[in-house]
Amino acid sequence: GPMRLEGHMAPMPRISGRMVDADGEPVPKARVVLTPGGHADTDNSGKFEVYAQPGTCVLSVTPAVNMKPAPRDPDSGQARVWTRTYYPGAALEETASKITLRFGDVLDVQIKMQAVAAHDVRGVLLSADGSVAAKVAITLAEDLPPAEGRRRESDADGAFEFKGVADWEWYLRAAPEKLRAGTWIN
């Protein structure tokens, strides 16, 4: 005869919260990433909401492109830039707190964006024969493939520069028409 099955659905875990800068002001249009899981952008008041799968995850926020400049280091006066910040407010992934979520969990958090030392990355792009590679697109990105990232074009002497780069491991890639080059830099 027929078998009767009964199942009960449970709500997926959810993390909501607010992203603020060093002064406690909201950070709009920042990218919130749950790994593994989904992503969301903060709204104009710095709020976000992202649904997750049950399990252990890491929450990070990438600063908005048009975010106001980070304050200089109060002790040394050195320039700083906003960097990807991990929950609850760490600049390095290895110091992030892991979050464990179960069905039905709702976590409300506030994350304070971190600023780190700023560096300038400069170089000269050369072709395979050693000649300068002028007018070539160069990308500086956090991961592979470098779909997103900062872009520049080498000048007539093959020179390029990225100003205000955060402490991080970056992938530097040049892709002229028939050649390709890339390297990781710290």
Side-chain angles (χ1 to χ4, degrees), residues 8 11 27 35 48 65 69 79 95 97 110 119 155 171 175 182:
H8 297 274
V27 178
T35 307
F48 65 89
V65 174
T95 59
S97 292
Q110 178 166 301
H119 308 279
D155 66 14
Y171 189 71

Side-chain angles (χ1 to χ4, degrees), residues 8-155:
H8 297 274
M9 296 182 75
M12 295 300 287
R14 174 173 56 97
I15 299 176
S16 61
R18 188 166 180 254
M19 189 70 215
V20 297
D21 65 16
D23 298 323
E25 296 297 317
V27 178
K29 297 184 176 75
R31 172 57 52 112
V32 178
V33 178
L34 194 59
T35 307
H39 59 83
D41 291 335
T42 58
D43 65 15
N44 287 335
S45 60
K47 293 182 180 178
F48 65 89
E49 180 176 81
V50 62
Y51 285 87
Q53 295 291 327
T56 302
C57 57
V58 174
L59 182 68
S60 67
V61 181
T62 303
V65 174
N66 59 350
M67 198 169 162
K68 71 179 181 182
R72 290 188 167 273
D73 184 284
D75 298 326
S76 68
Q78 180 180 9
R80 298 188 310 169
V81 292
W82 300 111
T83 190
R84 175 179 278 189
T85 302
Y86 294 87
Y87 174 79
L92 300 172
E93 185 174 6
E94 49 270 12
T95 59
S97 292
K98 295 197 184 301
I99 301 169
T100 301
L101 298 168
R102 297 179 305 273
F103 282 107
D105 282 353
V106 177
L107 183 63
D108 190 35
V109 299
Q110 178 166 301
I111 303 173
K112 186 176 181 181
M113 186 68 72
Q114 297 296 304
V116 295
H119 308 279
D120 294 340
V121 175
R122 297 181 192 96
V124 175
L125 185 62
L126 302 175
S127 296
D129 64 4
S131 63
V132 297
K135 306 294 182 197
V136 174
I138 300 170
T139 304
L140 184 69
E142 290 186 34
D143 50 20
L144 290 173
E148 293 183 26
R150 296 167 66 176
R151 300 183 195 289
R152 298 285 182 275
E153 187 175 90
S154 59
D155 66 14

